[in-house]
Amino acid sequence: MFVTVALVILTILLITILLRQRLKRPPGPFPWPFFGNRYYLQKLTRKYGGQHFAFKELSKMYKSGIISLRLGTSNVIVVSDSRLIHEICLSEKFDGRPWNEFIKLRNMGLRKGITMNDGPEWKELRMWTVRTLRSVGFARQTMMDLITEEMTLIMKRLADGGVQRIRPAFAPVVINVLWLLVTGRKPSDDLTRLQNFLDLLERRAQLFDMSGGILATFPWIRYVAPERSGYNVLVTLNNELKNFLMDTINEHKKRYVKGNEADFIDMFLQEMNKEEQEDKVSVFSGAGPVALSISRRRPENAALAIFSDDNLLVTLIDFFIAGTSTTTATLDILFLQMANHQDIQRKLHEEIDTVIGRHRLPQLEDRVKMFYTEAILTECQRLWLVTPVIGPRRVLENTILDGYEIPKNTTVLINVYSNNTDPEFFPDPNSFKPERHINKDGIYQIQHENVINFGKGRRRCPGEALAKSAIFLLFVGIMQKYRLLPVPGQNCINVEFNSGLTCTPKPYEMLIVSR
């Protein structure tokens, strides 16, 4: 009896405290003690077919563009209002990253890299990474040469045409391109291993969401249900990736020649060598250990604390995780929508035939002339973005958002899908209309500021330019040679989507016909 009464009193106290805390917080469903809103959110996600749909429904339910959730012991706000989304993306107050159990495992326990890191070190590393990805002149031509070579293999995979899945034909190319640009070599000897990584990444994407899933809500569950919670998948993926990437890093160190940098890893090693030289200069400058200690205390102003094996490893993991699954899924959705929109596909073929012709393969220089193609790419990602919820962000200081108090360290999830389907920006938002991105002069509106397909602000995807280039070359290269149709007897391809960290189509078949 005493235990029962104590539990009742404790529950009432917790409810009272939670209610008081919520008085100045955004509206949202009632957070039950210990469990919060985790199970309610899962229920809505299943009901509406995706977490982004669930968030949009909650926003309508509470008539607010910002809602509060409590997932386990974490306070989370979800933003679905377009104005607030753009404000958050451009404000440094929301540039932080949370450090929950899922993210700790994802980053191998290291607050490193450019995706799940923050602070002065992250700013320096991210700026350097963006500059490097833009300045590596060999990347464009190298990527074009590789895709040209790989297109021959794609043609062989699709040679028989007929009813089949298209994804297996192009997915290996995405891996090859990313691997070559980062490591400077083709993964011909590692394809089986890389395919295993892809399978693990797909399982990971389905087991978790942007809030970190049940593992972030209840960290202890990994001891009770390591398989179901996704813990085993993360550990397996971590071990495989770390061993493989460290082997690659060590190979680069052995053959590194100053002035002959050939890929991203070489460029990083160049910075590491500069760091070592600066350390030596500090030691032998006559100032003794004082100068050395000062030189190692300046991560916000110098590269000395940034360019390390740990940062290189986690940055490569960032590239691998972000680049392969999202690019592959984006292409998968593009081909699916071409089969389902024959009128749009016909206009695409007309532009390809006019600008490129039927014989030579596309080049990056063709993009500036292919307004309708660019409009298709933008519109497809607007409506079927593979990361419809982005984040998670961590609030770096107590702040006010839309009149509500948002405490420091609150986790923020951004429902980009809601922004990209805002009827104020996009009339008839759920219709696939590439023409909406072409102005009255027939020119593609390159800077459509209201579309968020690669993030915005300081957290914008650093590999955006490379991703766009790869998607363009592969999409146009395949569409140049083939016509895509629904399976005979069907008017369209009806596909369900897997919803998790990414929103990807479940396996589907189409009719592939040579042009």
Side-chain angles (χ1 to χ4, degrees):
M1 175 64 78
F2 175 78
V3 173
T4 303
V5 171
L7 286 174
V8 170
I9 294 173
L10 178 61
T11 301
I12 292 173
L13 286 172
L14 284 172
I15 291 174
T16 303
I17 292 170
L18 289 173
L19 286 174
R20 286 179 177 175
Q21 288 178 342
R22 288 167 55 82
L23 290 178
K24 295 182 180 180
R25 288 178 60 78
F30 177 79
W32 293 100
F34 309 114
F35 298 101
N37 306 117
R38 167 58 62 184
Y39 294 115
Y40 180 58
L41 178 58
Q42 288 179 333
K43 179 182 177 181
L44 289 179
T45 299
R46 287 193 298 268
K47 179 179 179 180
Y48 293 104
Q51 197 175 73
H52 52 300
F53 295 128
F55 288 154
K56 193 167 185 177
E57 189 62 27
L58 282 170
S59 185
K60 292 178 183 177
M61 192 182 303
Y62 291 94
K63 298 179 181 179
S64 174
I66 172 173
I67 60 170
S68 290
L69 296 172
R70 190 166 178 84
L71 304 179
T73 59
S74 299
N75 290 320
V76 177
I77 64 169
V78 181
V79 183
S80 297
D81 178 82
S82 296
R83 177 181 60 83
L84 297 177
I85 287 173
H86 289 269
E87 180 180 336
I88 288 170
C89 288
L90 297 176
S91 172
E92 289 191 26
K93 296 177 183 178
F94 297 90
D95 274 351
R97 290 292 198 198
W99 191 243
N100 57 42
E101 197 65 25
F102 167 70
I103 295 175
K104 288 178 186 176
L105 285 167
R106 186 259 189 214
N107 266 37
M108 301 185 183
L110 302 168
R111 296 204 75 157
K112 301 291 182 180
I114 56 175
T115 301
M116 291 301 176
N117 195 9
D118 56 38
E121 180 180 283
W122 163 72
K123 289 181 181 178
E124 291 286 339
L125 180 59
R126 189 187 185 282
M127 285 191 295
W128 178 86
T129 299
V130 171
R131 288 197 305 270
T132 301
L133 291 176
R134 286 176 179 171
S135 67
V136 180
F138 66 82
R140 289 169 58 90
Q141 188 59 47
T142 302
M143 180 168 59
M144 285 176 56
D145 292 343
L146 177 62
I147 290 179
T148 300
E149 181 181 329
E150 292 284 345
M151 282 301 298
T152 304
L153 298 177
I154 292 178
M155 304 305 171
K156 289 181 180 179
R157 297 182 189 117
L158 299 177
D160 295 334
V163 175
Q164 59 176 298
R165 291 181 61 198
I166 194 170
R167 181 172 178 142
F170 68 81
V173 181
V174 176
I175 306 173
N176 288 356
V177 170
L178 179 66
W179 196 249
L180 180 68
L181 294 179
V182 172
T183 69
R185 71 178 192 184
K186 298 179 183 178
S188 54
D189 298 329
D190 306 309
L191 284 178
T192 302
R193 201 171 182 183
L194 286 171
Q195 185 58 51
N196 183 47
F197 293 157
L198 264 189
D199 294 340
L200 287 169
L201 286 172
E202 289 184 6
R203 287 183 60 197
R204 167 186 174 273
Q206 294 176 32
L207 285 167
F208 296 94
D209 54 47
M210 276 299 170
S211 67
I214 195 170
L215 190 60
T217 305
F218 309 114
W220 49 264
I221 204 168
R222 64 179 181 172
Y223 302 109
V224 179
E227 189 64 37
R228 189 174 178 182
S229 67
Y231 175 76
N232 284 350
V233 171
L234 286 179
V235 171
T236 302
L237 179 61
N238 279 355
N239 291 336
E240 292 281 344
L241 271 176
K242 184 174 183 179
N243 292 336
F244 193 31
L245 292 173
M246 284 309 302
D247 287 345
T248 305
I249 291 170
N250 290 330
E251 287 177 15
H252 274 69
K253 286 182 176 181
K254 290 179 182 177
R255 62 176 174 79
Y256 174 77
V257 177
K258 184 179 179 180
N260 194 30
E261 291 77 21
D263 52 56
F264 181 86
I265 295 178
D266 282 344
M267 302 288 278
F268 199 99
L269 293 178
Q270 182 185 47
E271 296 299 322
M272 289 177 68
N273 288 337
K274 287 181 183 178
E275 173 181 324
E276 291 177 3
Q277 291 300 317
E278 289 177 12
D279 273 351
K280 291 178 181 178
V281 168
S282 297
V283 172
F284 295 108
S285 63
V290 175
L292 178 60
S293 64
I294 292 174
S295 78
R296 286 178 176 169
R297 262 203 316 263
R298 297 180 296 133
E300 68 275 17
N301 299 318
L304 298 181
I306 297 174
F307 295 94
S308 62
D309 283 344
D310 285 345
N311 252 332
L312 177 54
L313 172 64
V314 179
T315 301
L316 293 181
I317 291 173
D318 292 339
F319 286 160
F320 196 83
I321 288 177
T324 52
S325 55
T326 54
T327 302
T328 302
T330 298
L331 285 164
D332 207 10
I333 295 172
L334 277 164
F335 295 129
L336 166 64
Q337 299 309 325
M338 289 303 95
N340 280 347
H341 296 85
Q342 291 296 306
D343 55 335
I344 293 175
Q345 184 177 174
R346 183 174 61 256
K347 292 179 182 178
L348 170 66
H349 281 147
E350 289 174 359
E351 184 171 77
I352 291 173
D353 292 345
T354 300
V355 176
I356 303 173
R358 296 285 186 98
H359 303 294
R360 78 166 175 85
L361 288 172
Q363 299 177 351
L364 290 177
E365 289 74 15
D366 297 321
R367 284 181 63 186
V368 295
K369 306 173 189 174
M370 303 181 72
F371 302 133
Y372 194 70
T373 301
E374 287 287 352
I376 288 174
L377 297 176
T378 299
E379 177 71 352
C380 193
Q381 290 180 81
R382 177 193 71 83
L383 199 49
W384 295 284
L385 188 63
V386 299
T387 53
V389 178
I390 61 172
R393 302 290 185 89
R394 177 174 63 87
V395 182
L396 297 176
E397 59 184 74
N398 294 336
T399 189
I400 302 294
L401 184 65
D402 202 32
Y404 295 108
E405 293 182 0
I406 310 298
K408 181 180 179 179
N409 292 327
T410 298
T411 297
V412 181
L413 299 179
I414 304 170
N415 190 6
V416 174
Y417 170 79
S418 185
N419 172 84
N420 286 358
T421 54
D422 187 335
E424 184 179 342
F425 297 153
F426 312 102
D428 192 13
N430 295 317
S431 295
F432 183 38
K433 296 181 178 180
E435 291 80 6
R436 75 171 81 241
H437 305 290
I438 296 177
N439 65 22
K440 61 182 180 180
D441 298 319
I443 298 174
Y444 170 67
Q445 294 176 316
I446 298 175
Q447 299 297 332
H448 200 302
E449 62 179 12
N450 295 320
V451 181
I452 300 178
N453 288 342
F454 288 88
K456 188 172 184 176
R458 284 162 294 277
R459 285 286 179 187
R460 193 180 187 97
C461 174
E464 177 181 352
L466 290 177
K468 283 184 174 180
S469 297
I471 289 170
F472 172 83
L473 291 172
L474 287 169
F475 176 64
V476 175
I478 290 176
M479 294 306 302
Q480 178 190 41
K481 304 296 182 182
Y482 298 99
R483 185 181 175 202
L484 309 181
L485 300 158
V487 173
Q490 297 181 6
N491 293 325
C492 66
I493 303 173
N494 295 315
V495 177
E496 294 182 6
F497 281 74
N498 292 312
S499 180
L501 283 170
T502 56
C503 192
T504 59
K506 293 182 179 180
Y508 64 88
E509 291 185 330
M510 61 170 56
L511 175 62
I512 301 174
V513 180
S514 295
R515 294 186 68 218

